Amino acid sequence: MYSRQTFGGGGGGFGGGLAGPVPRDVWILLGTLFFTFSLQFFSATAWIPALLRLTPAVWQSFFVWQLVTYPFAGIGAPSFWFLIELLILFMFARDILFRLGRRKFWLTLVRAAAVAAVAAVIVQLLTAWATGSVGPNAFALMQGQHMVVVIVIAAFATLLGDATIYLFFVLPIRARWFLGLEILFAFLGYLGTKDLAGFLGICAAVGWTWVGLRYGGSARHWREAWLRLQSGWIRLRLAWMRRRRGIRLVEPEAGPEAHPRPGSEPGGGEVKKGPWVH
């Protein structure tokens, strides 16, 4: 799926695909997804993953735990594609765990999933208020292992952007491009399901993961990221106002006249110093 080779140097995958040791936390994550996935096919246990998944019961019945449990409830049909998703997760999660460490790995996963869930719930509430109903595919795009794969690949693309990822195991693509590709794939899923909440939830997860790993998790780093965003927005507004109103900014002239020496007047004369000036 990916290799150590890079475009232009500067980092790559640690584990080199399937080779190397596998941390216990990765086995726990894969085992949890497979276990909850299997429970849905038995009538006596199907209620367990249903209770963990993100549903309108979050606001209807105050099942607030679903905001953080839904990524760990495996979903889908009993097909080969589910195993492919687990394989992709296995290959990327291991290197992210080695890079971040156990604590930061789980914090990144849980926080990004929670942010995505909150964003999706807000969108779904607004949609339900506007249309008067909740669609049948609400949150379908972001359930279970789908969200975990999104977050892990976004983390890999952020931390190891120069690594080569083989899309569909054939096409070599620089890892950082997958930040945009994940949004594109989610949009294609939205076209088929009309799950606006799920699509925007995935966008929120990718954005949160990128900002959190790129700028750090401290309050200072988040403030710096917010200030950069505000600065960019102000520049865009100024550029738009200049084009609309025909405003042209005059740059200061370079030269000695533009920067007079200390103690000189604009007219060119020297300022006389009094006896009290030393």
Side-chain angles (χ1 to χ4, degrees):
M1 186 66 181
Y2 68 91
S3 73
R4 294 172 183 263
Q5 288 184 330
T6 62
F7 293 91
F14 304 0
L18 297 174
V22 182
R24 182 179 59 183
D25 295 72
V26 174
W27 289 123
I28 292 174
L29 178 59
L30 296 176
T32 300
L33 288 170
F34 188 83
F35 178 68
T36 53
F37 168 80
S38 303
L39 292 179
Q40 66 181 327
F41 300 104
F42 300 94
S43 57
T45 58
W47 63 272
I48 298 177
L51 200 62
L52 298 177
R53 289 175 186 146
L54 187 62
T55 65
V58 169
W59 68 84
Q60 294 174 350
S61 303
F62 300 103
F63 289 178
V64 293
W65 63 82
Q66 294 181 350
L67 296 174
V68 293
T69 59
Y70 74 96
F72 307 106
I75 195 171
S79 64
F80 185 68
W81 175 247
F82 175 75
L83 297 179
I84 292 295
E85 286 184 295
L86 293 187
L87 176 62
I88 294 172
L89 180 59
F90 168 81
M91 297 170 67
F92 286 99
R94 183 181 55 180
D95 281 353
I96 297 304
L97 184 60
F98 283 142
R99 181 66 179 263
L100 297 179
R102 173 181 296 176
R103 180 176 180 274
K104 193 170 182 180
F105 172 82
W106 288 108
L107 284 177
T108 299
L109 186 61
V110 172
R111 286 175 179 173
V115 168
V118 171
V121 167
I122 292 174
V123 172
Q124 193 58 53
L125 281 171
L126 294 175
T127 303
W129 175 77
T131 62
S133 62
V134 178
N137 293 324
F139 312 119
L141 292 177
M142 55 188 293
Q143 296 284 7
Q145 71 278 1
H146 305 327
M147 178 55 69
V148 181
V149 171
V150 165
I151 296 171
V152 169
I153 292 181
F156 188 95
T158 302
L159 297 174
L160 300 166
D162 289 329
T164 303
I165 296 179
Y166 289 91
L167 184 63
F168 306 123
F169 301 95
V170 176
L171 183 63
I173 295 180
R174 190 174 297 187
R176 64 168 57 95
W177 295 353
F178 268 75
L179 292 169
L181 286 175
E182 285 192 308
I183 303 300
L184 176 61
F185 293 155
F187 180 72
L188 295 178
Y190 161 72
L191 295 179
T193 62
K194 299 301 185 293
D195 179 19
L196 180 62
F199 167 63
L200 294 180
I202 290 176
C203 294
V206 173
W208 178 272
T209 303
W210 181 79
V211 172
L213 296 180
R214 181 75 179 271
Y215 297 105
S218 65
R220 180 176 63 85
H221 286 97
W222 283 108
R223 178 171 174 77
E224 289 177 358
W226 174 247
L227 291 176
R228 289 191 185 98
L229 182 62
Q230 286 181 317
S231 178
W233 171 247
I234 291 173
R235 286 196 297 268
L236 288 175
R237 288 192 62 184
L238 290 175
W240 176 77
M241 292 174 63
R242 286 199 298 269
R243 286 196 300 267
R244 183 177 180 183
R245 302 181 182 180
I247 299 176
R248 184 173 63 89
L249 296 180
V250 179
E251 298 293 337
E253 297 181 0
E257 294 80 5
H259 304 283
R261 297 189 309 273
S264 64
E265 295 180 344
E270 296 289 337
V271 177
K272 295 182 180 180
K273 298 180 180 180
W276 56 87
V277 179
H278 298 284

